[in-house]
């Protein structure tokens, strides 16, 4: 543990200086106020607005080009064969 001796707890030193200064009645300066936070974006409102704009744009086009998918073939998924029930095995008890 000798390697720890080289470290110093600067926070504790500053705290002790602050306590001593306050005990002596000195007026303490506070930390600088943090900068104003950036405005919070309402993601749900932005999504709803985007969806409404897309609906409005589709109504203006209304020639079917939005949904026209030439050459598109709808494929149905092949059904997997039904699974067979597991074979029952008889256990022999050793008495």
């Amino acid at each position: 543990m000798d390697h720890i001796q080289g470290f110093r707890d600067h926070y504790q030193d500053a705290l002790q200086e602050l306590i001593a200064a306050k005990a002596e009645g000195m007026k303490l300066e506070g930390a600088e106020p943090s900068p104003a936070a950036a405005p919070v974006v309402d993601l749900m409102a932005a999504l709803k607005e985007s969806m409404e704009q897309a609906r409005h744009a589709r109504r203006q086009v209304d020639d079917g080009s939005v949904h026209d998918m030439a050459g598109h073939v709808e494929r149905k998924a092949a059904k997997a064969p039904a699974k067979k029930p597991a074979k029952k095995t008889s256990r022999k008890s050793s008495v």
Side-chain angles (χ1 to χ4, degrees):
M1 288 210 168
D2 292 330
H3 63 283
I4 296 177
Q5 300 299 327
F7 293 100
R8 181 126 179 103
D9 187 356
H10 298 283
Y11 177 79
Q12 187 175 3
D13 294 341
L15 183 61
Q16 287 177 351
E17 286 177 18
L18 183 68
I19 292 170
K22 193 166 185 176
E24 292 175 8
M26 296 178 71
K27 187 173 180 180
L28 305 174
E29 294 181 23
E32 292 184 26
S34 61
V40 177
V41 177
D42 184 0
L43 295 177
M44 285 304 293
L47 175 62
K48 288 177 182 178
E49 182 180 343
S50 174
M51 290 172 58
E52 189 59 38
Q53 288 175 356
R55 282 188 195 114
H56 183 69
R58 274 187 258 149
R59 280 187 221 125
Q60 287 180 347
V61 173
D62 201 24
D63 64 359
S65 64
V66 173
H67 299 287
D68 185 18
M69 299 176 74
H72 176 74
V73 178
E74 196 170 317
R75 298 180 187 190
K76 293 184 179 180
K79 287 188 175 181
K83 291 187 177 182
K84 296 179 183 177
K87 292 182 179 180
K88 293 182 180 179
T89 59
S90 61
R91 290 188 177 187
K92 294 182 180 179
S93 62
S94 57
V95 185

